[in-house]
Amino acid sequence: MSIFTREGETALATTNDAARDASAKAPRGRRLGLAGRLLALTLGAVLIAQSMLYAVRLSAFRDNWLHERLVAAQSAALVFGADRDMPLPPDLTKKILDTVSAKMIAIDGPSEHLVLSVAPNSPKADFYYDLANPSLLEGVDQTLRTLFATPGSILHFEGPAPVGDANMSVTIDQAPLIAALWRVSRNFLTISLTLSTVVALVLWAAIWQMVLRPVSRLTSSIIAFGQSPQEAHRIVTHGGRDDEIGRAEAALAAMQGSLARELAQRKRLSELGMAVARINHDLRNMLAAAQLISDRLAAIPDPLAQRLAPRLVATLDRAILFCQSTLTYGAARDEAPARRRFDLRELVRQIVETAEATGAGAISYSIDIPPKFELYADPDHVQRIVENLSRNAAQALQNQGARGDRPPAIRFAAIRTEGAALIEVSDTGPGFAPEQTARIFEPFHLTTREGGSGLGLAIAADLVARNDGSIALTPAQTEDFYCGARFLITLPVPQEATRPSLAAPES
């Protein structure tokens, strides 16, 4: 009788081992969790966006700075020497070039041509740039080259003159431009870092509150529940959210509750297996002794003993069979039912006589089954099914009373339909609460009284299934006399069986 113990203990041990393995495989000492990685990713994305904006902004600043040099160069040339036909004196040329911080200015147009340079030859340039139609990538590339160029490097750039149709070219020392670019870079870096930090922290705080914190709570609940799934207080509680996180919490709570109930049932099966295993040894000895006594009683010539001995033997046989079926309950070894023809009405009559003789006389029984109502099934199975349903109904009536002003009563009825026999067991009791109806056929689900085993309806459902039938709790009408629990059993019948009509009620 180790089946219950192995199943229950193995289930609990497997669950706990899986939880420990998951905890052992989890990385320890990780520097950055999900929240830290998300913060780093957010900061990185913001910084990348700011870097791209910085490069474009700095390139635009450089182009504007060079355009300003073109405007200043043209203005100085026009004011000081654009109207002269003779070459300018060196001192005036130097004065014009110093005004715009240039080493050479050249203006080439349809009506004018002017070259201003202190040196006789044009200075050798280190960088060349065309302001006429620069591309974005070219502008960014030249800006970065200028930013990291050595002071004293020479830049030669060309572009259309701000006024007129002339083209201008200017050669300058890049030192002032480099200094201006670094000044703009420092200002932009300060502002961008401040904005990036504020945006990243606000975004990260919102994601932490709305996503990471609930996910962390779900993760902690899964780990805690995996370590002790039999403890109901470790089931996650629904936070009331209606978004994806809320649906995940509800689904996890339902899954954990179902698993906790399943483990509780397996634990009870384990405990039941241990108890039955202890009982089995002594019960076999007692039944063996009772069989010896019944054999001796059968040999006594007394008429009363001769009449009682067969009943005693039949009762002992049923006890032994019931013991064996209890020992193998849940072992997934369903024995095939011993089907044969029998009279259902006579079987129910014997059940009622036994119930009335065992102290349930305060309850009235009604048998609405036609005479000679034959079934083709295992009579012992059907007897146990009807006994369990009848016993549950009697316990409910004794503990909770009948509904309304009705007397406590139980009714047995049967009728044959096309290819099936319908057996109804109903009562005038309180019935079942709506939240219980979905689980009444589960093992160990107590529905009628405290201290019961919770196996009656589960065994009845199992026996009905073995006989290829079905059992269901059907709703009863409140205006009906039998308005409590109403069980309907459907069993198949042979095609050649007769179809008697429903007989009149008989108490």
Side-chain angles (χ1 to χ4, degrees), residues 166-232:
N167 290 325
M168 297 184 62
S169 59
V170 180
T171 303
I172 62 172
D173 186 350
Q174 288 195 122
L177 178 58
I178 293 173
L181 291 178
W182 278 110
R183 184 176 63 254
V184 172
S185 298
R186 286 190 294 270
N187 294 337
F188 188 89
L189 181 63
T190 302
I191 296 174
S192 64
L193 285 179
T194 303
L195 291 177
S196 300
T197 303
V198 172
V199 170
L201 290 178
V202 171
L203 180 61
W204 180 82
I207 295 177
W208 165 259
Q209 183 66 26
M210 293 186 295
V211 179
L212 296 180
R213 187 177 178 183
V215 170
S216 177
R217 192 166 69 91
L218 287 176
T219 304
S220 301
S221 174
I222 292 173
I223 295 174
F225 183 81
Q227 293 173 349
S228 299
Q230 66 273 15
E231 298 181 8

Side-chain angles (χ1 to χ4, degrees), residues 317-334:
D317 290 340
R318 288 188 58 208
I320 294 173
L321 181 61
F322 181 75
C323 176
Q324 292 175 348
S325 63
T326 302
L327 292 175
T328 58
Y329 179 77
R333 296 195 305 265
D334 297 340

